[in-house]
Amino acid sequence: MGALFFSACEEAAVPIEDSGTPMKLDTISFPVTQTVTYQVPPELGGTDYLYFGENDGYKYLYNLIRFDSLNTTNLFTFDRYNDSLIVADSIRLSMRLSVDSLDENSEFQLRYFPDGGDSVFHENLTHYLNFDRNTASPVIASAEMVTDSIDTVKTKVMLNFLMDTTIINVMKDTSHINFNHSFLVELKTGSSSEFKFHSSDKTGGEAPKLTVFYRKLLSDSVVSDTSEHDFIAIQDISIVEPPAITLEDSSHLAVSVGKGLRSLVKVDMGGWSLPTKGIISSAELIYNRSQSDTLTGYSVSSYPITGAGDYSIFKTYESDPYSNDVDFGVSSSVVQNILKINYRKISTEFGRGKKVNHGFKILPGPNNDPFKTVLFHNLDSDDAYPVMRVIYVHP
């Protein structure tokens, strides 16, 4: 296959040797004409930690944890404990603190959902405005953190709730179809401190675990030593109430998981169309950060929205009103306080008239500090406002 040669001059021919077709390299800039930031309730599913207490105006109300219905060793369900030869003595819910030393302690309490079906909460959708904690039971156990030895040198700090057979009897009841195996964990009293525990999403972490301690009846007079079955958390989420929105939040392009901040950007591509057989090599929109501190590894996701956006003023919604066109999602990281997002694929669809340009949504990527708010210049900036530059080749 022949080589493709580009020229610095926009009108210079770019020959493709095997076809003999001359190609031209063009660059066109499109202005950003509308921007707005909006707020939705924070959704903290998928984060590395489960949070308790308070920090920097955030109130961590409680945590929801759902455990697998199969244990990790032999894939038994709770139905197993209906066997007359198995005696289930107790059950323990364990959580690991993010640090391995205990400088401050507090009392936690545990509830469960005896009347709930399988879907008590949704890790990616549940938040402080759409979940009713009153659907949980009264407190079934209380606990404080304790230090456990891993070996002679290392330790870890655990929170262990011990429950009696009452809870096991509910979970093994076969009249409950698809019992939820979900729990609510909270501080017994408010605390101005922050406590972080490993979540089920933390790579290399220790997910919350539910352990059933049981014995087997080997004969009428012989009982085995105590054994255990472990059930690992498969979903968990911190329910967080965010602090008040600041003027800086609403007057910039802002993104934040913890505050639920997302932004819309409308690029005016006018009546531009991509020439027949044209190929876009880059459609880069540059966002300049307005904060001066060093930011490393912060990722931003972006999607075209599927309907018209309201770019008038900052607004707060109970749920996100803008659907993502998920087939055209892109992401990038902030480098030296500049974010460059390449919308090449969707711009091709715009240029060919196959998609309507309603604008782009930007929101935090999944692996950032959830309580970090990142601000970018919007159209009010004198010289750092966002702009899109499209580079394409065509006959």
Side-chain angles (χ1 to χ4, degrees):
M1 181 175 177
L4 179 66
F5 297 99
F6 294 94
S7 167
C9 299
E10 292 186 358
E11 296 302 322
V14 185
I16 299 177
E17 290 179 355
D18 59 358
S19 68
T21 303
M23 300 288 284
K24 289 184 285 188
L25 175 66
D26 272 349
T27 299
I28 185 170
S29 293
F30 296 110
V32 172
T33 56
Q34 294 176 291
T35 59
V36 71
T37 292
Y38 66 100
Q39 184 186 33
V40 295
E43 299 164 357
L44 266 75
T47 57
D48 283 349
Y49 298 103
L50 300 174
Y51 298 86
F52 296 86
E54 295 183 15
N55 188 28
D56 199 23
Y58 291 93
K59 296 180 180 179
Y60 313 129
L61 304 179
Y62 49 90
N63 287 263
L64 300 171
I65 306 174
R66 180 186 177 193
F67 292 90
D68 199 343
S69 59
L70 301 175
N71 76 69
T72 58
T73 51
N74 43 28
L75 304 183
F76 288 148
T77 67
F78 270 80
D79 293 350
R80 175 71 173 176
Y81 308 116
N82 287 313
D83 190 326
S84 60
L85 298 179
I86 294 180
V87 180
D89 295 314
S90 61
I91 185 171
R92 181 183 69 199
L93 191 157
S94 302
M95 302 172 65
R96 181 170 179 176
L97 192 67
S98 62
V99 294
D100 295 332
S101 61
L102 187 55
D103 298 326
E104 180 183 356
N105 213 333
S106 193
E107 191 169 6
F108 297 77
Q109 55 192 28
L110 182 69
R111 307 174 191 267
Y112 79 129
F113 299 89
D115 302 319
D118 183 53
S119 300
V120 172
F121 69 95
H122 192 295
E123 187 179 43
N124 296 321
L125 299 175
T126 299
H127 52 74
Y128 78 108
L129 293 180
N130 67 6
F131 188 85
D132 183 5
R133 70 192 300 171
N134 293 323
T135 59
S137 72
V139 175
I140 58 174
S142 297
E144 291 187 351
M145 293 176 285
V146 295
T147 300
D148 288 348
S149 296
I150 299 176
D151 51 40
T152 57
V153 178
K154 298 179 181 179
T155 62
K156 61 181 178 180
V157 178
M158 302 295 298
L159 180 64
N160 299 315
F161 294 99
L162 295 178
M163 296 163 272
D164 60 25
T165 56
T166 303
I167 310 304
I168 300 175
N169 291 336
V170 174
M171 291 187 171
K172 74 179 185 180
D173 186 350
T174 55
S175 67
H176 288 275
I177 300 175
N178 293 327
F179 193 79
N180 61 80
H181 303 104
S182 296
F183 293 83
L184 185 153
V185 188
E186 61 191 345
L187 280 166
K188 185 173 183 179
T189 56
S191 173
S192 58
S193 299
E194 178 188 72
F195 301 98
K196 296 194 302 184
F197 292 83
H198 292 198
S199 81
S200 60
D201 297 289
K202 181 173 174 55
T203 302
E206 187 171 337
K209 180 171 63 176
L210 200 62
T211 303
V212 177
F213 298 95
Y214 69 95
R215 294 166 293 147
K216 289 184 178 180
L217 300 178
L218 304 179
S219 68
D220 291 341
S221 58
V222 179
V223 181
S224 70
D225 292 335
T226 298
S227 299
E228 61 188 62
H229 286 151
D230 292 330
F231 300 80
I232 303 301
I234 53 175
Q235 288 190 47
D236 46 32
I237 184 172
S238 293
I239 304 301
V240 175
E241 182 178 344
I245 294 299
T246 67
L247 179 61
E248 275 202 327
D249 295 333
S250 60
S251 61
H252 290 80
L253 290 174
V255 293
S256 169
V257 174
K259 285 188 175 182
L261 294 174
R262 302 171 180 183
S263 295
L264 299 181
V265 176
K266 181 66 180 291
V267 179
D268 183 6
M269 303 181 80
W272 177 78
S273 61
L274 183 63
T276 302
K277 297 183 180 181
I279 299 173
I280 294 178
S281 62
S282 175
E284 203 167 62
L285 183 54
I286 300 174
Y287 302 84
N288 290 279
R289 189 164 173 248
S290 65
Q291 297 147 302
S292 59
D293 62 300
T294 301
L295 184 66
T296 303
Y298 193 96
S299 65
V300 174
S301 298
S302 186
Y303 300 87
I305 57 175
T306 59
D310 181 355
Y311 292 87
S312 57
I313 58 172
F314 177 91
K315 291 183 179 180
T316 295
Y317 302 95
E318 290 194 6
S319 62
D320 196 328
Y322 304 113
S323 298
N324 302 331
D325 196 336
V326 295
D327 291 334
F328 297 92
V330 288
S331 63
S332 187
S333 295
V334 178
V335 177
Q336 295 181 344
N337 283 336
I338 296 175
L339 174 69
K340 297 180 180 180
I341 298 183
N342 192 347
Y343 296 101
R344 182 188 64 81
K345 187 177 178 182
I346 187 60
S347 295
T348 300
E349 299 298 296
F350 292 158
R352 289 175 177 166
K354 295 182 178 181
K355 291 280 186 178
V356 177
N357 174 19
H358 296 293
F360 304 110
K361 178 196 298 186
I362 59 171
L363 63 162
N367 299 317
N368 302 311
D369 177 353
F371 305 110
K372 176 71 175 179
T373 298
V374 178
L375 307 175
F376 298 98
H377 288 284
N378 60 15
L379 291 180
D380 295 331
S381 173
D382 292 334
D383 55 8
Y385 50 83
V387 64
M388 176 181 275
R389 181 171 288 106
V390 175
I391 301 174
Y392 63 102
V393 293
H394 62 95

